[in-house]
Amino acid sequence: MLDDVSRRRVAADKRVLSVYEDELIRYRARVQAVRVRRDRAGAQHRWWTWLRLSVTAWRERRRTPRPLIPAAGHTDLEEKIIAGIEGEQQVAAELGRALGDDWTLLRGYRNRRGEIDHLLLGPPGLFAIEVKNLNATVYVDGDRWRADKYDNYGNLVEQRPIADRKGRSPSVQLNEPADDLERFLRTRGQPVPVQRLVVLAHRRSRLGAVRHPTVRVGTSADLLPMLGEQPGRGQPGPDQLGRGQRHELQRLIQHDHQFHEKRRRTDRRPPR
């Protein structure tokens, strides 16, 4: 996503430069044409015409096109994506430090319904993890999410819904591809539930009121405890998924991701 957005910004900058260069060529042609007519009038001693064209040339020179300088640095969207990447890397590092070799972390899984930041596969089960790197207090009401940002004095300075470019809240953003993954695994003889976690990775993230959640949500400090929870089942047994089943699930997930990535690249390929 970051590569795509950056390429679009660079392409837009090139278009702006191209427009400026075209305008500069037209400007120079206009100035040169007036100068030629002025000099011809002077050679023919038509002084009134020469004076009028001299004023015209002076005016044209004052209309030099100004280059449109692109904004320095990344766009707001790029900054948002970069922050998301940092949050994902932070969560991956925390899991790597805390979990043993019985766990496998698959990053950036994609299917036709969207992308999942992390798929974590271990003895307790299969976990889909969406990471949000938000410096805010997050409130959840079903599939409606809101971020409130406060200044250092506790004053509310910003309040906004949390949604991706398609308008999906984090829970919808996670549940749609997770539901599709569950269906895929079921059709391949692996009816394994995909447990859904949204992790607020920013060190200043706070979790406000949570009502009727459709996923589990918590800060980075809550991540490891959430991996040990099974809603409605109490604490899971250590071998809910055996080693052989985990290997088969990993193979199926990687195969499904590769299929959708290949299909996505084909769909985006420009026609010849």
mmCIF file of all heavy atoms in Angstrom, residues 185-207:
data_model
loop_
_atom_site.group_PDB
_atom_site.id
_atom_site.type_symbol
_atom_site.label_atom_id
_atom_site.label_comp_id
_atom_site.label_asym_id
_atom_site.label_seq_id
_atom_site.Cartn_x
_atom_site.Cartn_y
_atom_site.Cartn_z
ATOM 1 N N LEU A 185 -10.985 -22.495 4.654
ATOM 2 C CA LEU A 185 -10.423 -23.617 5.409
ATOM 3 C C LEU A 185 -11.456 -24.729 5.588
ATOM 4 O O LEU A 185 -11.118 -25.919 5.531
ATOM 5 C CB LEU A 185 -9.921 -23.129 6.769
ATOM 6 C CG LEU A 185 -8.723 -22.166 6.743
ATOM 7 C CD1 LEU A 185 -8.394 -21.677 8.151
ATOM 8 C CD2 LEU A 185 -7.496 -22.824 6.104
ATOM 9 N N ARG A 186 -12.720 -24.346 5.785
ATOM 10 C CA ARG A 186 -13.774 -25.354 5.961
ATOM 11 C C ARG A 186 -13.925 -26.200 4.705
ATOM 12 O O ARG A 186 -14.084 -27.422 4.776
ATOM 13 C CB ARG A 186 -15.094 -24.663 6.309
ATOM 14 C CG ARG A 186 -16.187 -25.612 6.779
ATOM 15 C CD ARG A 186 -17.479 -24.878 7.066
ATOM 16 N NE ARG A 186 -17.271 -23.732 7.934
ATOM 17 C CZ ARG A 186 -17.489 -22.466 7.581
ATOM 18 N NH1 ARG A 186 -17.935 -22.186 6.361
ATOM 19 N NH2 ARG A 186 -17.278 -21.485 8.425
ATOM 20 N N THR A 187 -13.866 -25.533 3.528
ATOM 21 C CA THR A 187 -13.999 -26.287 2.278
ATOM 22 C C THR A 187 -12.796 -27.192 2.024
ATOM 23 O O THR A 187 -12.884 -28.110 1.205
ATOM 24 C CB THR A 187 -14.166 -25.335 1.084
ATOM 25 O OG1 THR A 187 -12.988 -24.517 0.949
ATOM 26 C CG2 THR A 187 -15.389 -24.459 1.252
ATOM 27 N N ARG A 188 -11.694 -26.950 2.702
ATOM 28 C CA ARG A 188 -10.497 -27.787 2.554
ATOM 29 C C ARG A 188 -10.362 -28.783 3.707
ATOM 30 O O ARG A 188 -9.294 -29.331 3.936
ATOM 31 C CB ARG A 188 -9.240 -26.916 2.486
ATOM 32 C CG ARG A 188 -9.187 -25.956 1.313
ATOM 33 C CD ARG A 188 -9.338 -26.684 -0.028
ATOM 34 N NE ARG A 188 -9.068 -25.810 -1.163
ATOM 35 C CZ ARG A 188 -9.984 -25.046 -1.757
ATOM 36 N NH1 ARG A 188 -11.241 -25.056 -1.298
ATOM 37 N NH2 ARG A 188 -9.665 -24.289 -2.792
ATOM 38 N N GLY A 189 -11.455 -29.008 4.414
ATOM 39 C CA GLY A 189 -11.456 -30.013 5.467
ATOM 40 C C GLY A 189 -10.837 -29.570 6.773
ATOM 41 O O GLY A 189 -10.474 -30.414 7.598
ATOM 42 N N GLN A 190 -10.724 -28.238 6.984
ATOM 43 C CA GLN A 190 -10.139 -27.707 8.220
ATOM 44 C C GLN A 190 -11.110 -26.679 8.829
ATOM 45 O O GLN A 190 -10.930 -25.471 8.696
ATOM 46 C CB GLN A 190 -8.781 -27.056 7.932
ATOM 47 C CG GLN A 190 -7.712 -28.008 7.469
ATOM 48 C CD GLN A 190 -7.255 -28.951 8.573
ATOM 49 O OE1 GLN A 190 -7.452 -28.688 9.762
ATOM 50 N NE2 GLN A 190 -6.639 -30.065 8.201
ATOM 51 N N PRO A 191 -12.165 -27.159 9.512
ATOM 52 C CA PRO A 191 -13.159 -26.235 10.091
ATOM 53 C C PRO A 191 -12.649 -25.604 11.388
ATOM 54 O O PRO A 191 -13.156 -25.872 12.475
ATOM 55 C CB PRO A 191 -14.364 -27.134 10.331
ATOM 56 C CG PRO A 191 -13.767 -28.484 10.582
ATOM 57 C CD PRO A 191 -12.544 -28.580 9.706
ATOM 58 N N VAL A 192 -11.648 -24.748 11.250
ATOM 59 C CA VAL A 192 -11.008 -24.128 12.412
ATOM 60 C C VAL A 192 -11.522 -22.698 12.562
ATOM 61 O O VAL A 192 -11.485 -21.923 11.600
ATOM 62 C CB VAL A 192 -9.474 -24.117 12.231
ATOM 63 C CG1 VAL A 192 -8.800 -23.364 13.370
ATOM 64 C CG2 VAL A 192 -8.951 -25.546 12.151
ATOM 65 N N PRO A 193 -12.013 -22.316 13.730
ATOM 66 C CA PRO A 193 -12.456 -20.925 13.912
ATOM 67 C C PRO A 193 -11.273 -19.970 13.885
ATOM 68 O O PRO A 193 -10.196 -20.270 14.389
ATOM 69 C CB PRO A 193 -13.130 -20.934 15.284
ATOM 70 C CG PRO A 193 -12.509 -22.091 16.000
ATOM 71 C CD PRO A 193 -12.202 -23.121 14.957
ATOM 72 N N VAL A 194 -11.487 -18.818 13.262
ATOM 73 C CA VAL A 194 -10.475 -17.763 13.241
ATOM 74 C C VAL A 194 -10.840 -16.759 14.324
ATOM 75 O O VAL A 194 -11.878 -16.093 14.260
ATOM 76 C CB VAL A 194 -10.413 -17.063 11.870
ATOM 77 C CG1 VAL A 194 -9.369 -15.945 11.892
ATOM 78 C CG2 VAL A 194 -10.088 -18.072 10.770
ATOM 79 N N GLN A 195 -10.008 -16.677 15.357
ATOM 80 C CA GLN A 195 -10.260 -15.759 16.455
ATOM 81 C C GLN A 195 -9.727 -14.375 16.088
ATOM 82 O O GLN A 195 -8.613 -14.246 15.584
ATOM 83 C CB GLN A 195 -9.602 -16.296 17.723
ATOM 84 C CG GLN A 195 -10.118 -17.693 18.084
ATOM 85 C CD GLN A 195 -9.276 -18.353 19.132
ATOM 86 O OE1 GLN A 195 -9.206 -17.866 20.257
ATOM 87 N NE2 GLN A 195 -8.617 -19.444 18.779
ATOM 88 N N ARG A 196 -10.510 -13.322 16.362
ATOM 89 C CA ARG A 196 -10.214 -11.991 15.845
ATOM 90 C C ARG A 196 -9.810 -11.049 16.974
ATOM 91 O O ARG A 196 -10.550 -10.851 17.943
ATOM 92 C CB ARG A 196 -11.442 -11.424 15.123
ATOM 93 C CG ARG A 196 -11.838 -12.266 13.865
ATOM 94 C CD ARG A 196 -12.922 -13.270 14.215
ATOM 95 N NE ARG A 196 -13.200 -14.246 13.184
ATOM 96 C CZ ARG A 196 -14.060 -14.081 12.201
ATOM 97 N NH1 ARG A 196 -14.720 -12.962 12.084
ATOM 98 N NH2 ARG A 196 -14.260 -15.038 11.316
ATOM 99 N N LEU A 197 -8.629 -10.437 16.829
ATOM 100 C CA LEU A 197 -8.107 -9.511 17.826
ATOM 101 C C LEU A 197 -7.720 -8.212 17.135
ATOM 102 O O LEU A 197 -7.037 -8.227 16.113
ATOM 103 C CB LEU A 197 -6.863 -10.086 18.519
ATOM 104 C CG LEU A 197 -6.872 -11.541 18.978
ATOM 105 C CD1 LEU A 197 -5.509 -11.908 19.568
ATOM 106 C CD2 LEU A 197 -7.971 -11.768 19.993
ATOM 107 N N VAL A 198 -8.128 -7.080 17.708
ATOM 108 C CA VAL A 198 -7.642 -5.773 17.276
ATOM 109 C C VAL A 198 -6.751 -5.239 18.389
ATOM 110 O O VAL A 198 -7.172 -5.137 19.544
ATOM 111 C CB VAL A 198 -8.788 -4.791 16.985
ATOM 112 C CG1 VAL A 198 -8.236 -3.401 16.666
ATOM 113 C CG2 VAL A 198 -9.628 -5.296 15.816
ATOM 114 N N VAL A 199 -5.506 -4.903 18.035
ATOM 115 C CA VAL A 199 -4.513 -4.471 19.011
ATOM 116 C C VAL A 199 -4.199 -2.998 18.791
ATOM 117 O O VAL A 199 -3.864 -2.589 17.669
ATOM 118 C CB VAL A 199 -3.221 -5.309 18.896
ATOM 119 C CG1 VAL A 199 -2.186 -4.824 19.908
ATOM 120 C CG2 VAL A 199 -3.533 -6.781 19.104
ATOM 121 N N LEU A 200 -4.312 -2.198 19.836
ATOM 122 C CA LEU A 200 -3.941 -0.780 19.794
ATOM 123 C C LEU A 200 -2.472 -0.694 20.201
ATOM 124 O O LEU A 200 -2.136 -0.830 21.372
ATOM 125 C CB LEU A 200 -4.830 0.028 20.739
ATOM 126 C CG LEU A 200 -6.339 -0.161 20.541
ATOM 127 C CD1 LEU A 200 -7.113 0.637 21.585
ATOM 128 C CD2 LEU A 200 -6.768 0.231 19.132
ATOM 129 N N ALA A 201 -1.597 -0.479 19.215
ATOM 130 C CA ALA A 201 -0.167 -0.660 19.435
ATOM 131 C C ALA A 201 0.544 0.592 19.942
ATOM 132 O O ALA A 201 1.629 0.491 20.504
ATOM 133 C CB ALA A 201 0.502 -1.127 18.139
ATOM 134 N N HIS A 202 -0.018 1.769 19.729
ATOM 135 C CA HIS A 202 0.683 2.990 20.127
ATOM 136 C C HIS A 202 0.833 3.043 21.642
ATOM 137 O O HIS A 202 -0.067 2.649 22.391
ATOM 138 C CB HIS A 202 -0.092 4.228 19.639
ATOM 139 C CG HIS A 202 0.710 5.486 19.631
ATOM 140 N ND1 HIS A 202 0.973 6.206 20.774
ATOM 141 C CD2 HIS A 202 1.305 6.156 18.615
ATOM 142 C CE1 HIS A 202 1.683 7.265 20.462
ATOM 143 N NE2 HIS A 202 1.910 7.264 19.167
ATOM 144 N N ARG A 203 1.989 3.536 22.091
ATOM 145 C CA ARG A 203 2.240 3.535 23.545
ATOM 146 C C ARG A 203 1.268 4.438 24.303
ATOM 147 O O ARG A 203 1.086 4.284 25.511
ATOM 148 C CB ARG A 203 3.681 3.963 23.825
ATOM 149 C CG ARG A 203 4.033 5.364 23.358
ATOM 150 C CD ARG A 203 5.513 5.651 23.539
ATOM 151 N NE ARG A 203 5.881 6.984 23.082
ATOM 152 C CZ ARG A 203 5.796 8.064 23.828
ATOM 153 N NH1 ARG A 203 5.359 7.987 25.080
ATOM 154 N NH2 ARG A 203 6.139 9.248 23.356
ATOM 155 N N ARG A 204 0.640 5.379 23.592
ATOM 156 C CA ARG A 204 -0.336 6.257 24.239
ATOM 157 C C ARG A 204 -1.775 5.862 23.938
ATOM 158 O O ARG A 204 -2.698 6.593 24.274
ATOM 159 C CB ARG A 204 -0.105 7.703 23.814
ATOM 160 C CG ARG A 204 1.224 8.287 24.305
ATOM 161 C CD ARG A 204 1.355 9.740 23.922
ATOM 162 N NE ARG A 204 2.603 10.320 24.416
ATOM 163 C CZ ARG A 204 3.007 11.570 24.166
ATOM 164 N NH1 ARG A 204 2.256 12.358 23.412
ATOM 165 N NH2 ARG A 204 4.156 11.997 24.652
ATOM 166 N N SER A 205 -1.958 4.732 23.294
ATOM 167 C CA SER A 205 -3.317 4.262 23.031
ATOM 168 C C SER A 205 -4.021 3.932 24.338
ATOM 169 O O SER A 205 -3.425 3.345 25.255
ATOM 170 C CB SER A 205 -3.300 3.019 22.138
ATOM 171 O OG SER A 205 -2.933 3.325 20.828
ATOM 172 N N ARG A 206 -5.271 4.308 24.413
ATOM 173 C CA ARG A 206 -6.113 3.964 25.560
ATOM 174 C C ARG A 206 -7.419 3.386 25.023
ATOM 175 O O ARG A 206 -7.888 3.770 23.950
ATOM 176 C CB ARG A 206 -6.406 5.204 26.416
ATOM 177 C CG ARG A 206 -5.163 5.855 27.014
ATOM 178 C CD ARG A 206 -4.515 4.984 28.073
ATOM 179 N NE ARG A 206 -3.364 5.632 28.680
ATOM 180 C CZ ARG A 206 -2.112 5.522 28.222
ATOM 181 N NH1 ARG A 206 -1.872 4.774 27.150
ATOM 182 N NH2 ARG A 206 -1.113 6.143 28.823
ATOM 183 N N LEU A 207 -7.989 2.481 25.787
ATOM 184 C CA LEU A 207 -9.254 1.885 25.399
ATOM 185 C C LEU A 207 -10.357 2.441 26.280
ATOM 186 O O LEU A 207 -10.325 2.297 27.505
ATOM 187 C CB LEU A 207 -9.180 0.363 25.533
ATOM 188 C CG LEU A 207 -10.375 -0.435 25.000
ATOM 189 C CD1 LEU A 207 -10.581 -0.161 23.523
ATOM 190 C CD2 LEU A 207 -10.151 -1.925 25.246
#
